[in-house]
Amino acid sequence: MIVEYIRYNINAQRQQDFVAAYLKASQYLQTSRFCLGYELAQCEEESANFILRIEWTSTEDHLTGFRKSSDFPGFLRHVRPFFSNIEEMNHYRLTPVVKKRE
């Protein structure tokens, strides 16, 4: 598994539209066999900052599987208006330093 993090800076006037766009786009993540999970979080201290976290089966599956699938055009249609607000978009490999409560 690989985790993609996308950091956005979204001004207050566009935040509602941004969240709504990802609510619509998330249907394409849900149906993708390459997506294992996702979450969109908004910073409490600096409300313009958002982080999208997507768990992919692999970087290759994301870049060539999802992006070449029938799910990608619909996903892209909803989120493309916010591309200029991206501050970081990278894939991360998990380390052994982790603790999850169930």
Side-chain angles (χ1 to χ4, degrees):
M1 178 184 72
I2 288 292
V3 181
E4 178 186 23
Y5 288 96
I6 308 173
R7 286 187 310 112
Y8 288 91
N9 187 285
I10 307 291
N11 67 41
Q13 296 77 22
R14 297 185 73 206
Q15 290 175 5
Q16 188 174 3
D17 292 339
F18 176 72
V19 172
Y22 265 103
L23 280 170
K24 291 175 186 172
S26 69
Q27 69 182 329
Y28 301 99
L29 295 175
Q30 288 176 358
T31 59
S32 172
R33 64 187 175 103
F34 306 109
C35 179
L36 302 173
Y38 58 88
E39 62 189 18
L40 178 64
Q42 183 177 17
C43 182
E44 287 194 357
E45 293 81 11
E46 297 179 40
S47 64
N49 294 333
F50 288 81
I51 295 179
L52 177 66
R53 180 182 185 276
I54 306 176
E55 295 176 356
W56 298 105
T57 49
S58 70
T59 301
E60 180 72 17
D61 285 347
H62 171 222
L63 298 178
T64 60
F66 179 70
R67 288 190 179 176
K68 292 183 179 180
S69 75
S70 60
D71 291 316
F72 187 64
F75 175 83
L76 187 62
R77 179 177 62 248
H78 294 295
V79 301
R80 179 173 267 156
F82 302 97
F83 276 15
S84 65
N85 300 95
I86 293 174
E87 295 184 332
E88 176 189 6
M89 181 170 40
N90 288 302
H91 296 91
Y92 288 81
R93 188 176 310 107
L94 297 178
T95 71
V97 182
V98 63
K99 169 67 175 135
K100 291 186 179 184
R101 294 184 187 240
E102 296 187 25

